[in-house]
Amino acid sequence: MSFDLQQLVRTNIRQLKPYASARHEFEGEASVYLDANENSLGSPLQEAFNRYPDPLQWQLKFALAKIKGVPAENIFIGNGSDEVIDLALRIFCEPGRDNIIICPPTYGMYEVSAGINAVEVRKAGLTAGFQLNLSTIMNLVDAQTKIIFVCSPNNPTGNNMHREDIEWLLNNFNGILVVDEAYINFSRQKTCIQELTTYPSLIVMQTLSKAWGLAALRLGLCFASLGIIDLFNKVKPPYNINKASAALGLEALAQVSWVNEAIQQTVAARNSLASRLEQYAFVTKVFESEANFLLVQVTDANGLYHFLTGKGIIVRNRSREPGCENCLRITIGTPQENEILLAAFDNWQQAPPAQQ
Ligand SMILES: *Cc1c(COP(=O)(O)O)cnc(C)c1O
């Protein structure tokens, strides 16, 4: 199998001459910047937000490089993972012609983003054990299949995909394999980042929205070969990450120990919540989770969902997803929130069956 990145890229993207800001050619050398029509007087705010930010967020990338053990040049930062997904589709998939493969039940944005980009979505459902169905996937692959999205740990099922299956796809699929590791910090499985040196077709996505607790800042991470990172930089909006987010992200990255502590607490709370939920007669299954949520199967998911909503407790009803009949996805809360949830479960247990 010979992987040819340029051949996978859409023709218009291959030929694209990206937007260039004159500024970064002179960074550090000049003292009078009259090139970008900014407000030279400043802004109403204390902090200096009047200048356009670094389009490549090098400071943030250097800090990430240290933590992740990967060169800063192999990192792209998106305005949330959602931007990374959208860019991947726009770089590789010709609208109305190319297709991608997803493995439901899985994260909804792959399909939404493909729909927006007029890219066909082919679905290779997970096995009964929520693992990749390699033969189904390969039966769907044709010359127009550009990307396979694999989510591990998977949302909403919470389990890791087998590492051997991911490697099998890397060795046998001649397009881009995106491995979405949004929940990797909660998992016992190691990240695929170290496979980047072996597989030029691999894109690993992570995010600062989950374990790092920065969902509001919109910092999605992408790790890939220099060639792929180059394409992302060419296609992204020039200033996709704003200065406030980059600065706050950098501040957070200096506090790894806070995050590690939060991960430990979350994992411990997840495991104890799982065993307590299993005690209820109406809970038919709590799926093993490697993430910061639990997929819980009950006898009447819609009824329980509305009961919880009525008590001001919002969970995610996933019962319409394939293989998730009567399943709710429940995020691990604070110790107090978890107790409130369990108290509501107690009440549901005692509630008389709804009148038909
Ligand atoms: C939450 C989540 C993300 C993160 O999205 P952001 O846009 O970075 O907040 C990515 N992938 C999956 C599977 C998720 O569940």
Side-chain angles (χ1 to χ4, degrees):
M1 209 177 70
S2 75
F3 179 78
D4 183 349
L5 180 64
Q6 290 312 315
Q7 211 210 309
L8 271 182
V9 175
R10 290 168 66 199
T11 313
N12 61 315
I13 302 298
R14 202 185 307 130
Q15 294 168 348
L16 182 72
K17 212 174 155 293
Y19 177 82
S21 104
R23 171 107 20 118
H24 71 267
E25 297 167 32
F26 305 103
E27 206 66 74
E29 295 168 31
S31 54
V32 181
Y33 289 104
L34 304 177
D35 59 315
N37 302 342
E38 298 147 337
N39 189 334
S40 305
L41 302 178
S43 83
L45 301 175
Q46 281 283 298
E47 258 189 89
F49 286 119
N50 57 324
R51 301 294 180 185
Y52 282 98
D54 174 7
L56 294 173
Q57 312 95 31
W58 283 115
Q59 277 193 297
L60 193 53
K61 284 177 185 169
F62 290 140
L64 280 167
K66 262 200 187 148
I67 293 170
K68 302 290 177 183
V70 68
E73 294 75 18
N74 291 96
I75 305 176
F76 171 81
I77 305 175
N79 199 307
S81 307
D82 297 341
E83 185 177 40
V84 178
I85 295 166
D86 178 69
L87 286 171
L89 287 159
R90 286 199 283 152
I91 289 166
F92 296 108
C93 301
E94 195 62 37
R97 190 195 72 183
D98 293 335
N99 67 73
I100 63 164
I101 294 176
I102 65 172
C103 306
T106 194
Y107 187 44
M109 271 314 284
Y110 314 135
E111 186 169 9
V112 172
S113 199
I116 291 168
N117 287 293
V119 169
E120 182 198 344
V121 176
R122 299 187 175 179
K123 296 180 182 177
L126 296 175
T127 65
F130 294 143
Q131 287 298 325
L132 296 172
N133 201 327
L134 295 176
S135 57
T136 311
I137 291 174
M138 291 319 275
N139 283 334
L140 292 176
V141 170
D142 65 15
Q144 261 56 64
T145 305
K146 297 303 179 70
I147 308 175
I148 299 175
F149 284 92
V150 168
C151 190
S152 181
N154 187 41
N155 176 2
T157 59
N159 62 302
N160 291 320
M161 297 298 129
H162 292 323
R163 176 60 69 108
E164 314 85 77
D165 291 350
I166 292 176
E167 280 175 29
W168 190 91
L169 283 176
L170 285 165
N171 285 313
N172 290 278
F173 171 58
N174 211 359
I176 299 289
L177 184 74
V178 174
V179 180
D180 186 345
E181 296 185 338
Y183 299 98
I184 193 71
N185 303 88
F186 303 104
S187 169
R188 288 168 295 181
Q189 190 166 79
K190 280 215 308 232
T191 166
C192 285
I193 287 179
Q194 53 264 30
E195 313 296 335
L196 287 173
T197 46
T198 315
Y199 300 103
S201 58
L202 175 63
I203 294 178
V204 178
M205 288 199 328
Q206 293 187 6
T207 180
L208 299 188
S209 295
K210 305 287 157 67
W212 284 87
L214 302 175
L217 298 186
R218 313 308 302 127
L219 293 168
L221 313 180
C222 164
F223 306 89
S225 69
L226 297 182
I228 292 177
I229 297 296
D230 227 40
L231 290 162
F232 274 84
N233 286 333
K234 251 170 82 164
V235 176
K236 79 183 182 82
Y239 306 105
N240 62 324
I241 303 299
N242 71 71
K243 185 180 169 180
S245 284
L248 289 169
L250 190 62
E251 205 180 311
L253 289 178
Q255 300 174 61
V256 184
S257 55
W258 187 96
V259 177
N260 286 337
E261 175 62 28
I263 292 166
Q264 276 187 22
Q265 278 185 34
T266 303
V267 167
R270 176 191 75 203
N271 296 341
S272 99
L273 187 63
S275 50
R276 287 175 69 183
L277 289 173
E278 276 166 355
Q279 311 297 314
Y280 293 94
F282 62 87
V283 171
T284 45
K285 181 156 186 161
V286 179
F287 291 88
E288 179 115 336
S289 171
E290 298 276 337
N292 65 342
F293 58 81
L294 289 168
L295 187 71
V296 182
Q297 188 178 54
V298 296
T299 48
D300 174 14
N302 293 335
L304 178 57
Y305 174 79
H306 288 111
F307 177 77
L308 292 173
T309 306
K311 291 189 161 302
I313 302 169
I314 312 301
V315 300
R316 202 74 199 259
N317 190 351
R318 299 280 77 176
S319 9
R320 278 199 294 256
E321 297 294 310
C324 298
E325 289 77 25
N326 273 316
C327 285
L328 301 178
R329 193 195 69 195
I330 304 175
T331 305
I332 308 307
T334 63
Q336 195 196 4
E337 288 168 335
N338 298 336
E339 291 307 322
I340 293 172
L341 176 86
L342 288 164
F345 268 57
D346 287 342
N347 289 339
W348 177 248
Q349 175 115 294
Q350 289 149 16
Q355 300 262 303
Q356 293 299 312

